[in-house]
Amino acid sequence: MTTTDSPPDAAALAQRVEEFLAEHDPSTTEPAEFLRERFAAGLAWVHYPAGLGGLGAANGLQTAVDAAFEQAGAPENRPRLNVIGLGMAAPTILRFGTEEQHRRWLPSLWTGEDIWCQLFSEPGAGSDLAGVGTSAVWDGDAWVLNGQKVWTSMAHHARWGIILARTDPEAVKHRGLSYFVVDMTAPGVEVRGLRQITGEAEFNEVFLTDVRVPDDQRLGEVGQGWAVAQYTLMNERVAIGGGTLPRESGAVGALAARWREHPETHTPGLHERVLRLWVETEAARLTAERLGQQQAAGQPGPEGSGVKITYARLNQECSSLELELRGEDGLRYPDYSERRPEVEDYGSRDAGWRYLRFRANSIEGGTSEILRNVVAERVLGLPAEARADKDVPWKDLPR
């Protein structure tokens, strides 16, 4: 392989990819081994540091590298199943983890050998995330976790989970938190399916009973959990609402397909509604693409909250209009059986399923109401809402 002491440019990266593919034929190399070698060669996250899957290259060069591997028929690393690991856990580990934690978790995370989940929300602390009550108490040689988490995507597949827990109930709620990585196979971790309005159990409840977590699985300092969690959440909102998507994909794609296939339903009023949603979705897609580039550079910002709000609204409006265009057929729901989906393919599902599933978009990943506050305060610079609990120890807050 070609080596250089300075970060490679586009031409140098293209040469590295070409040389790598010559040495590792995707058609004859076992997929897991191919991905491990790609990580070791620095062609996983090219903007990450050398030795951690990258080469310190410019973040904008990742797209071309991924496209070259895709064109060559290279195996993928289960990006849809491991969206939490790739989009949220990895950048947080890189930012706050130790060198040992980088080496321990990043390789198998990127290859998709280990799936990750996020253990933040609780039955009594959803929108008010800083109010979480899951406790982490130091007990000789480990932290002992007790509590319940809810709405946990991928927990039934996950090997690891990122978790926010309370280490100091005497401190005010934002300052008494710490951030850990929990082994989802450890004794005391129980995952239960949570059935939704679609009939499926896509999400989970997770119960933690005397779960021991070594101190080397803590990210950031004790009491720094809120700052670490905020970094994760900024990445989450870009991961949910951002990314590079093809034009006319997702909910608006299904709406446009229905519109074109049934000209008998066309009216000027409906035409205006379809066109408006198409234009708004395209504007949101381009904005999300730009924010995705910021995320790749390790610079996720509060602007991602605005993208996520728009993503939720457009999905709900598009699916609602699609159902309206179906007339009485839209009242039929073909399958309400309970199942545990691995990865949802929104485009291949029934219009009724999309309509129901997209109701959750304005809740998951931060409610739209809370995210409007984030945009108002952190993007627009408006005065913060008054908080009566700002200086009150968490243990004294009403619950």
Side-chain angles (χ1 to χ4, degrees), residues 248 250-262 274 278 322 325:
E248 207 174 280
V252 77
L255 173 61
R258 177 74 190 184
W259 178 258
R260 294 187 181 108
E261 292 165 6
H262 295 273
V274 172
W278 194 98
E322 181 193 3
L325 293 176

Side-chain angles (χ1 to χ4, degrees), residues 135-147:
S135 63
V137 178
W138 183 250
D139 181 33
D141 61 351
W143 296 92
V144 178
L145 273 60
N146 283 280

Side-chain angles (χ1 to χ4, degrees), residues 124-356:
S127 296
D128 182 20
L129 181 61
V132 297
T134 293
S135 63
V137 178
W138 183 250
D139 181 33
D141 61 351
W143 296 92
V144 178
L145 273 60
N146 283 280
Q148 179 188 355
K149 298 293 182 176
V150 74
W151 304 119
T152 309
S153 303
M154 307 301 175
H156 52 302
H157 294 294
R159 173 67 173 80
W160 298 100
I162 47 178
I163 185 167
L164 191 62
R166 188 160 302 281
T167 47
D168 185 2
E170 302 284 340
V172 297
K173 63 181 182 180
H174 290 82
R175 297 178 187 169
L177 299 167
S178 298
Y179 193 112
F180 302 91
V181 174
V182 63
D183 182 348
M184 296 298 290
T185 67
V189 177
E190 180 185 1
V191 177
R192 301 180 190 173
L194 194 59
R195 199 174 187 197
Q196 305 151 233
I197 194 173
T198 60
E200 300 170 349
E202 178 187 348
F203 298 99
N204 303 274
E205 299 176 285
V206 179
F207 295 84
L208 303 113
T209 305
D210 295 332
V211 179
R212 300 188 72 84
V213 177
D215 195 51
D216 62 7
Q217 290 177 203
R218 171 173 47 82
L219 287 180
E221 301 298 326
V222 175
Q224 192 187 7
W226 184 248
V228 182
Q230 286 301 295
Y231 188 81
T232 301
L233 292 172
M234 286 190 291
N235 280 283
E236 176 187 35
R237 286 153 194 170
V238 176
I240 291 177
T244 302
L245 298 172
R247 173 177 289 180
E248 207 174 280
S249 58
V252 77
L255 173 61
R258 177 74 190 184
W259 178 258
R260 294 187 181 108
E261 292 165 6
H262 295 273
E264 72 279 4
T265 65
H266 293 186
T267 68
L270 288 174
H271 187 205
E272 188 277 333
R273 290 170 64 189
V274 172
L275 187 59
R276 176 180 57 81
L277 289 171
W278 194 98
V279 170
E280 289 187 22
T281 300
E282 180 62 9
R285 184 185 73 85
L286 295 174
T287 301
E289 190 167 322
R290 175 171 55 81
L291 290 175
Q293 293 171 358
Q294 288 182 214
Q295 180 195 34
Q299 301 169 348
E303 299 88 352
S305 297
V307 172
K308 197 270 179 181
I309 294 169
T310 303
Y311 160 89
R313 177 181 64 81
L314 289 172
N315 272 354
Q316 292 173 356
E317 291 187 13
C318 286
S319 62
S320 180
L321 182 52
E322 181 193 3
L323 208 63
E324 182 180 335
L325 293 176
R326 293 177 65 87
E328 62 183 23
D329 286 343
L331 298 175
R332 299 186 177 95
Y333 193 72
D335 182 12
Y336 196 71
S337 59
E338 183 174 357
R339 67 184 184 91
R340 297 283 270 169
E342 182 169 285
V343 176
E344 292 295 2
D345 181 4
Y346 294 172
S348 67
R349 301 301 299 273
D350 180 81
W353 182 92
R354 281 192 291 274
Y355 174 80
L356 294 176

